[in-house]
């Protein structure tokens, strides 16, 4: 009877399939491994788990290396292996089961004749399945059944039959499916029971070490970076790596080929177009080609590109088919990078000129709620710069051009914007680009054009007006124009009310940047309280990566204010926070970290840690606009000059403060500190009259300036006004001068008392200075005070106050003195290199004229150096200077 399987007792089996055709023997053979095949032990070990589960699935895209992997694995197994490559041409389950039974027989499995075999291609008797499952279940050793290219099986009836046999065969059968798609079997049941071994595309992808080893099998030994570049383009795809290796091996420059090959002109392209694209329906091909312009996509976006409404179902099916469409989660998909590259090239051939329109559609769809980064990328690719700049400005994201997170990417993207792009938004982007290069004049020109275009705009232009305020504040900072900065801050306050709160919350960097620029400009103007108010707001509210740079900037400014007010410990804490935050966030220096390092250098000078100060000054200067920022430039000049004075190089110090900083408004503290440094340099060079002339330009109402003016006037003999100057200082506290200024003021008053021969008052004031200085290790004022201080420091109880931090501790009684504790206390003020040169020649009994000739300087210069040496060594004659220098081991 037709359709009834043969079940006679004869051991002979039909030599042909149910249609009477001979079996195709190639379908029963596992492929031979090529010479260049790379064994991957990690995957083999995973496949070994298949012997503990009924079902194993190796699921990956075309060319992922699935079949060769399983072929290598079964070649190393002792169990019998029935290999069958399925064929889409099989007309039904009867044909498939006939081939599967034949595969079992060829593997060496003795199947009883009563099992029978299908006689019709389109059906199979259930009894045959029962008998086969029963026979397999009695086996001591399982048979491994490999069904390769199982994605070609689309008959759900065969899948149900296969699952029935697998279930009832028990431990006598291990089924391995090699497939591009999810098989029709109920995988969830096997997963729940822990009876499924899975190897998918991500695991099949080559690792960097495996890729290097594969290239070496092709005779290619490439640097690690070239291998990583190839991995990025291929996504670790086995066929892509092998085909690229073959082509690179034929190239005269393999390393360059691997990095730069044109994917659309390779055998990789031929493979993907034939094996993936051309196997799809016209609708799917059209969708794949159009989405190739996207880095990632979701169904509504794809519908916008294709003009269809069925993208969700198509994408789901393409992903299930492993058609190089990856599911990223949350309804987002992407194409395999190399496949996307090839599809884009194919799109240009098939539909020339359509890419800009696809990018334009994508940009407009994404602007309604997609990621800004992708909106801008597609707008730029479409060449629609008015739209692209408008998207950046309307999103309130123009601050990202300055924050470092995406500034380089945005700068590069908008560098392609030509002069034909018109309107407020493109002008604002141009202004931002110019201001990042510190080109204030050009930047302001573009800001003015944007403001002209925004006149009369209502709430729709609020984001652009707030962006104008940010750029105005930055330009004011770079130009040293506090009035313009205050106007920008006021404009920002008035327009913020028109902007949705969610936008302000989304981009906190804009407000933080604006406040940092306004605060820095007020600092330049000497309005320290106003500057602290703005900068402290940034420091207390900023948080997260987007505000990291303005936070560092604000901390640097706050640290500088504390340093100028003599609060060294507070300045150091804030500066260290700014520098460490910059080091955590980026390898690149920033403006805030640059000012922070300058403050740390200034603190180091005050503590007489001169080498550390020099190292900090030699560090990178900071972000590009930091090189034009007048606050940072003035701080660098000031700290550098103070360090040079401490090293005994007054002329070099004068040159350090000479370059003028051109700004709209002069800075009182910068001008005052510059005049004081120059005055001190003239005093050190023996020119008291020149020093006195400079003091007239110093604003005596600033605490830092008043103390230095008093010290300078005392040095040139004007003792009368010293007490009056210092009496006007505010008391110590939150608003008053910090320890560094207080110590200097006390020492100036002590010197005045000493000159008035009020020795009790002098000792009392020096004791107060030591107690004040000890807490923050303020040493420099004592080194600068002059020889009058040495006898006082050597007297009790002042000696005890100086021991351990300003002077060495005495040796323990009975213990041998250490070399550094022998002899007199060290010189309080270091000798400069030139002063040591003069001192060494003094020790050789050379005359003033001989020293001048030997050093190639004038005799007057030598005399000036001699006066300085005598003062620092507290002597009045040559012989005493040489003796004291030897006592201090300077010779």
């Amino acid at each position: 009877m037709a359709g009834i399987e043969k079940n006679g007792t004869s051991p002979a089996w039909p030599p042909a399939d149910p249609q009477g055709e001979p079996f195709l023997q190639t379908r029963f053979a596992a492929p031979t491994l090529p010479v260049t095949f790379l064994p991957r032990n990690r995957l083999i070990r995973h496949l070994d788990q298949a012997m503990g589960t009924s079902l194993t699935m190796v699921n990956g895209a075309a060319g992922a290396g699935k079949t060769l992997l399983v072929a290598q694995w079964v070649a190393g197994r002792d169990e019998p292996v029935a290999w069958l490559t399925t064929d889409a041409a099989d007309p039904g389950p009867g044909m498939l089961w006939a081939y599967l039974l034949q595969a079992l027989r060829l593997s060496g499995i003795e199947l009883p004749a009563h099992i029978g075999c299908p006689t019709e291609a389109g059906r199979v008797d259930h009894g045959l399945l029962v008998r086969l499952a029963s026979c397999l279940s009695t086996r001591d050793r399982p048979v491994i059944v490999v069904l390769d290219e199982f994605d070609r099986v689309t008959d759900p009836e065969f899948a149900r039959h296969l699952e029935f046999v697998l279930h009832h065969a028990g431990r006598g059968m291990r089924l391995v499916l090699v497939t591009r798609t999810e098989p029709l079997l109920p995988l969830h049941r096997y997963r729940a029971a822990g009876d499924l071994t899975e190897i998918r595309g991500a695991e099949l992808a080559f690792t960097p070490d495996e890729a290097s080893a594969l290239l070496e099998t092709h005779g290619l030994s490439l640097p690690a970076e070239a291998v990583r570049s190839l991995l990025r383009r291929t996504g670790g795809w086995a066929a892509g790596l092998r085909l690229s290796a073959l082509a690179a091996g034929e190239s005269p420059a393999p390393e360059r080929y691997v990095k730069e090959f044109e994917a659309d002109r390779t055998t990789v392209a031929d493979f993907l177009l034939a094996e993936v694209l051309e196997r799809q329906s016209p609708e799917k091909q059209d969708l794949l080609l159009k989405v190739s312009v996207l880095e990632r996509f979701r169904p509504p976006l794809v519908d916008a590109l294709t003009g269809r409404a069925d993208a969700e179902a198509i994408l789901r099916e393409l992903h299930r088919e492993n058609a190089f469409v990856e599911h990223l989660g949350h309804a987002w998909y992407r194409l395999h990078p190399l496949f996307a590259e090839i599809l884009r090239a194919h799109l240009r051939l098939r539909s020339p000129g359509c890419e800009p329109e696809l990018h334009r559609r994508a940009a407009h769809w994404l602007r309604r709620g997609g990621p800004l980064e992708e909106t801008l990328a597609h707008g730029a690719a479409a060449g629609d710069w008015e739209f692209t700049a408008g998207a950046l400005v309307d999103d309130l994201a123009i601050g990202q051009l300055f924050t470092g997170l995406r500034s380089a990417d945005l700068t590069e993207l908008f560098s392609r914007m030509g002069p034909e792009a018109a309107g407020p938004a493109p002008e604002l982007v141009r202004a931002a680009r110019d201001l990042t290069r510190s080109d204030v004049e050009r930047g302001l020109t573009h800001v003015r054009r944007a403001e002209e275009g925004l006149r009369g705009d209502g709430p729709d232009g609020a984001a652009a007006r707030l962006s104008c305020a940010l750029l105005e504040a930055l330009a004011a900072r770079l130009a040293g124009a506090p009035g313009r900065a205050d106007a920008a801050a006021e404009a920002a306050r008035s327009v913020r009310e028109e902007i949705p709160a969610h936008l302000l919350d989304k981009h906190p960097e804009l407000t933080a940047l604006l406040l940092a620029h306004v605060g820095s400009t007020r600092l330049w103007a000497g309005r320290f309280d106003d500057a602290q108010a703005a900068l402290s707001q940034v420091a207390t509210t900023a948080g997260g990566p987007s505000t990291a740079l303005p936070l560092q900037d604000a901390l640097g400014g706050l640290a500088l204010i504390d340093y100028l007010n003599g609060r060294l410990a507070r300045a150091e804490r804030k500066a260290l926070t700014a520098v460490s935050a910059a080091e955590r966030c980026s390898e690149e220096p920033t403006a805030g970290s640059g000012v922070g390092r300058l403050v740390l250098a200034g603190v180091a000078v005050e503590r007489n840690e001169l080498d550390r100060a020099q190292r900090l000054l030699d560090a990178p200067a900071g972000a590009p606009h930091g090189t034009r920022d007048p606050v940072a430039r003035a701080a660098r000049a000031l700290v550098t000059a103070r360090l040079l004075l401490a090293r005994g190089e007054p002329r070099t110090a004068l040159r350090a403060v000479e370059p003028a900083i051109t700004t709209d408004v002069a800075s009182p503290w910068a001008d005052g500190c510059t005049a004081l440094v120059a005055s001190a340099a003239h005093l050190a060079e023996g020119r008291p009259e020149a020093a006195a002339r400079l003091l007239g330009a110093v604003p005596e109402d600033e605490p830092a300036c008043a103390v230095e003016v008093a010290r300078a006037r005392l040095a040139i003999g004007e003792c009368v006004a010293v007490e009056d100057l210092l009496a006007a200082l505010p008391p110590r506290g939150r608003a008053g001068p910090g320890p560094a200024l207080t110590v200097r003021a006390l020492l100036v008053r002590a010197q005045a008392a000493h000159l008035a021969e009020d020795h009790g008052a002098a000792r009392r004031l020096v004791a107060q200075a030591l107690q004040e200085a000890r807490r923050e290790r303020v040493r420099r004022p004592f080194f600068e005070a002059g020889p009058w201080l040495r006898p006082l420091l050597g007297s009790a109880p002042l000696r005890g106050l100086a021991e351990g931090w300003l002077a060495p501790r005495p040796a323990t009684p009975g213990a041998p003195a250490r070399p550094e504790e022998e002899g007199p206390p060290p010189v309080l003020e270091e000798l400069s290199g030139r002063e040591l040169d003069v001192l060494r020649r003094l020790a050789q009994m050379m005359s003033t004229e001989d020293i001048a000739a030997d050093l190639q300087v004038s005799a007057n210069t030598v005399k000036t150096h001699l006066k300085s040496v005598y003062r620092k060594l507290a002597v009045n004659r040559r012989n005493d200077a040489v003796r004291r220098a030897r006592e201090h081991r300077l010779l």
Side-chain angles (χ1 to χ4, degrees):
M1 181 180 249
I4 301 299
E5 283 71 12
K6 300 175 184 177
N7 59 1
T9 58
S10 171
W13 290 89
D17 64 27
Q19 293 181 333
E21 301 293 339
F23 287 110
L24 297 173
Q25 297 304 308
T26 53
R27 294 180 61 182
F28 305 117
T32 304
L33 300 178
V35 176
T36 56
F37 179 78
L38 177 73
R40 295 197 280 169
N41 293 331
R42 65 180 177 90
L43 297 178
I44 294 299
R45 288 193 296 271
H46 193 172
L47 274 175
D48 285 339
Q49 299 176 17
M51 300 313 297
T53 60
S54 298
L55 178 61
T56 295
M57 180 178 65
V58 183
N59 188 339
K66 310 178 295 295
T67 299
L68 291 180
L69 169 66
V70 176
Q72 181 204 359
W73 176 67
V74 297
R77 302 298 307 184
D78 294 331
E79 297 84 1
V81 177
W83 186 288
L84 174 62
T85 301
T86 61
D87 194 330
D90 290 334
M95 182 69 76
L96 284 167
W97 278 108
Y99 264 92
L100 182 52
L101 290 168
Q102 181 70 0
L104 286 168
R105 290 196 298 272
L106 293 175
S107 71
I109 302 297
E110 295 184 2
L111 296 177
H114 73 272
I115 289 179
C117 61
T119 58
E120 289 187 46
R123 63 178 298 274
V124 63
D125 183 73
H126 183 70
L128 183 150
L129 304 178
V130 172
R131 293 189 293 273
L132 175 61
S134 175
C135 173
L136 293 175
S137 68
T138 61
R139 292 186 53 80
D140 295 330
R141 290 198 318 162
V143 57
I144 300 172
V145 176
V146 178
L147 297 183
D148 190 20
E149 299 187 23
F150 192 72
D151 47 280
R152 296 186 175 189
V153 175
T154 58
D155 188 338
E157 185 179 358
F158 176 77
R160 287 195 299 272
H161 294 166
L162 184 63
E163 200 273 330
F164 173 84
V165 172
L166 177 63
H167 175 70
H168 292 286
R171 299 190 56 82
M173 175 180 169
R174 293 291 178 257
L175 178 61
V176 180
L177 303 181
V178 183
T179 178
R180 295 186 189 183
T181 64
E182 290 284 289
L184 299 176
L185 276 68
L187 299 180
H188 60 282
R189 296 181 191 168
Y190 290 90
R191 288 194 187 101
D195 203 20
L196 174 64
T197 300
E198 292 183 81
I199 295 180
R200 291 183 173 269
E203 192 175 355
L204 290 168
F206 275 63
T207 66
D209 289 342
E210 289 170 347
S212 295
L214 177 65
L215 292 170
E216 287 175 3
T217 65
H218 289 77
L220 297 174
S221 181
L222 300 180
E225 178 53 38
V227 175
R228 285 194 294 270
S229 174
L230 183 59
L231 271 179
R232 281 193 296 271
R233 294 189 70 183
T234 61
W237 178 46
L241 286 169
R242 290 193 180 95
L243 293 171
S244 298
L246 288 170
E250 298 174 359
S251 170
E255 182 178 345
R256 183 176 177 182
Y257 175 87
V258 163
K259 288 184 177 179
E260 302 176 3
F261 71 88
E262 296 181 42
D264 58 306
R265 301 184 180 181
T266 63
T267 53
V268 178
D270 297 337
F271 180 94
L272 285 173
L273 292 175
E275 290 293 320
V276 181
L277 183 65
E278 292 175 6
R279 291 178 62 171
Q280 307 300 330
S281 66
E283 293 80 10
K284 290 181 181 177
Q285 289 189 35
D286 180 69
L287 182 146
L288 287 170
L289 287 168
K290 287 179 177 175
V291 300
S292 68
V293 303
L294 304 172
E295 290 293 327
R296 61 175 189 157
F297 42 87
R298 57 190 310 174
L301 173 56
V302 177
D303 285 336
L305 257 66
T306 62
R308 299 172 59 86
D310 55 356
E312 185 171 2
I314 293 177
L315 289 173
R316 194 162 48 238
E317 190 173 349
L318 286 169
H319 172 63
R320 191 183 69 81
E321 294 172 357
N322 268 321
F324 288 85
V325 175
E326 304 171 18
H327 185 225
L328 304 176
H330 303 289
W332 283 98
Y333 295 83
R334 72 175 178 187
L335 294 177
H336 183 282
L338 194 59
F339 189 39
E341 191 176 344
I342 292 166
L343 287 177
R344 283 193 295 273
H346 199 62
L347 175 67
R348 295 183 196 112
L349 289 174
R350 182 181 287 191
S351 305
C354 77
E355 274 189 276
E357 174 59 21
L358 292 173
H359 283 296
R360 188 191 66 78
R361 293 181 189 178
H364 283 269
W365 186 90
L366 288 164
R367 190 172 182 180
R368 294 193 294 270
L372 176 65
E373 180 179 358
E374 295 175 28
T375 303
L376 299 178
H378 288 293
D384 190 346
W385 293 108
E386 288 87 348
F387 168 88
T388 306
L392 180 78
V393 172
D394 290 347
D395 199 70
L396 216 62
I398 201 164
Q400 292 186 356
L401 281 161
F402 304 99
T403 57
L405 292 173
R406 297 191 54 230
S407 55
D409 292 340
L410 288 174
T411 300
E412 193 281 328
L413 185 143
F414 282 104
S415 67
R416 307 195 298 272
M417 182 173 68
E420 69 282 355
E427 293 294 351
L428 287 173
V429 171
R430 292 187 185 104
R433 273 189 353 213
D434 289 334
L435 290 173
T436 58
R437 298 190 291 264
S438 297
D439 191 337
V440 177
E441 185 176 352
R442 288 187 60 182
L444 280 176
T445 298
H446 291 303
V447 172
R448 298 290 173 262
R449 290 175 183 169
E451 290 173 337
E452 183 68 26
L454 287 169
R455 258 177 214 164
D457 276 4
D460 290 344
R465 295 201 301 277
L466 186 55
S467 299
C468 282
L470 168 66
L471 299 178
E472 287 274 15
L474 174 53
R477 173 182 182 171
L478 298 177
R484 286 183 9 220
D486 288 341
E490 182 58 36
R493 274 194 294 272
S494 65
V495 79
R496 280 174 62 93
E497 298 176 358
E498 301 177 22
I499 295 176
H502 75 273
L503 267 187
L504 293 169
D505 294 340
K506 181 180 177 182
H507 292 292
E509 72 277 357
L510 191 141
T511 301
L513 284 166
L514 193 146
L515 286 170
H517 298 329
V518 171
S520 180
T521 314
R522 291 172 178 172
L523 195 166
W524 172 252
R527 294 159 48 194
F528 288 174
D529 290 343
D530 291 341
Q532 280 182 313
L535 297 176
S536 296
Q537 190 174 343
V538 180
T540 54
T541 60
S546 67
T547 56
L549 263 66
L551 172 62
Q552 296 157 29
D553 199 4
L555 288 171
L558 291 170
L560 181 59
I561 293 172
D562 282 335
Y563 167 72
L564 293 172
N565 284 329
R567 301 185 184 94
L568 301 189
R570 281 169 51 177
E572 183 180 42
R573 285 195 298 271
K574 290 169 184 171
L576 284 172
T577 303
V579 172
S580 62
E583 290 172 348
R584 285 195 305 271
C585 294
S586 171
E587 297 178 0
E588 296 295 326
T590 64
S593 67
V595 173
R597 285 191 173 88
L598 292 176
V599 171
L600 292 176
V603 171
V605 171
E606 289 298 299
R607 291 173 176 167
N608 210 49
E609 299 165 353
L610 304 187
D611 290 340
R612 180 170 184 265
Q614 188 64 61
R615 288 194 299 273
L616 288 162
L617 283 172
D618 291 340
H625 74 260
T627 61
R628 176 74 185 266
D629 181 11
V631 169
R633 293 171 66 194
R636 175 169 288 277
L638 172 62
V639 174
T640 301
R642 285 182 174 176
L643 174 60
L644 291 168
L645 283 175
R647 291 192 181 281
E649 303 177 34
R651 288 193 177 179
T652 314
L654 271 174
R655 288 196 295 272
V657 293
E658 276 175 4
I661 301 172
T662 304
T663 56
D664 289 6
V665 173
S667 171
W669 64 265
D671 289 351
C673 291
T674 296
L676 289 171
V677 167
S679 174
H682 285 304
L683 281 175
E685 289 274 283
R687 294 187 293 274
E689 296 81 7
R693 284 195 300 272
L694 288 169
L695 296 180
V698 176
E700 296 175 0
D701 57 337
E702 293 285 338
C705 295
V707 172
E708 293 301 320
V709 168
R711 192 170 75 88
R713 292 193 183 283
L714 194 62
I716 61 176
E718 298 179 8
C719 304
V720 179
V722 167
E723 196 60 40
D724 292 337
L725 278 169
L726 298 180
L729 291 178
R732 235 198 113 195
R734 185 174 182 83
L741 294 182
T742 302
V743 169
R744 278 189 162 81
L746 288 167
L747 289 177
V748 171
R749 294 176 62 194
Q751 185 179 3
H754 174 77
L755 292 173
E757 298 187 358
D758 187 350
H759 302 300
R763 281 195 297 273
R764 185 176 65 256
L765 289 165
V766 171
Q768 291 177 29
L770 287 167
Q771 290 169 340
E772 190 75 28
R774 186 180 191 125
R775 285 192 293 271
E776 298 196 6
R777 306 193 309 281
V778 182
R779 300 186 182 93
R780 194 70 221 157
F782 297 93
F783 293 126
E784 296 170 349
W788 67 272
L789 184 58
R790 182 179 303 281
L792 288 175
L793 291 176
S795 65
L798 298 182
R799 186 190 308 112
L801 291 174
E803 285 172 358
W805 67 280
L806 185 63
R809 296 184 185 279
T812 304
R818 295 193 298 270
E820 65 271 18
E821 293 174 343
E822 295 174 356
V827 180
L828 281 179
E829 190 167 358
E830 296 179 20
L831 271 64
S832 69
R834 184 58 84 184
E835 289 167 351
L836 285 171
D837 290 339
V838 171
L839 188 59
R840 293 188 187 101
R841 285 159 178 78
L842 277 185
Q844 298 171 17
M845 306 301 290
M846 295 174 66
S847 67
T848 301
E849 290 73 16
D850 292 339
I851 296 173
D854 194 40
L855 294 177
Q856 298 182 346
V857 296
S858 69
N860 286 336
T861 299
V862 174
K863 291 176 182 177
T864 300
H865 287 314
L866 284 173
K867 288 179 184 178
S868 181
V869 169
Y870 294 162
R871 177 178 59 81
K872 291 180 179 179
L873 295 178
V875 297
N876 296 311
R877 296 184 300 178
R878 291 185 173 215
N879 291 341
D880 291 339
V882 173
R883 176 181 54 77
R884 184 65 59 85
R886 286 182 173 140
E887 289 174 353
H888 290 288
R889 300 179 181 85
L890 298 177
L891 294 173

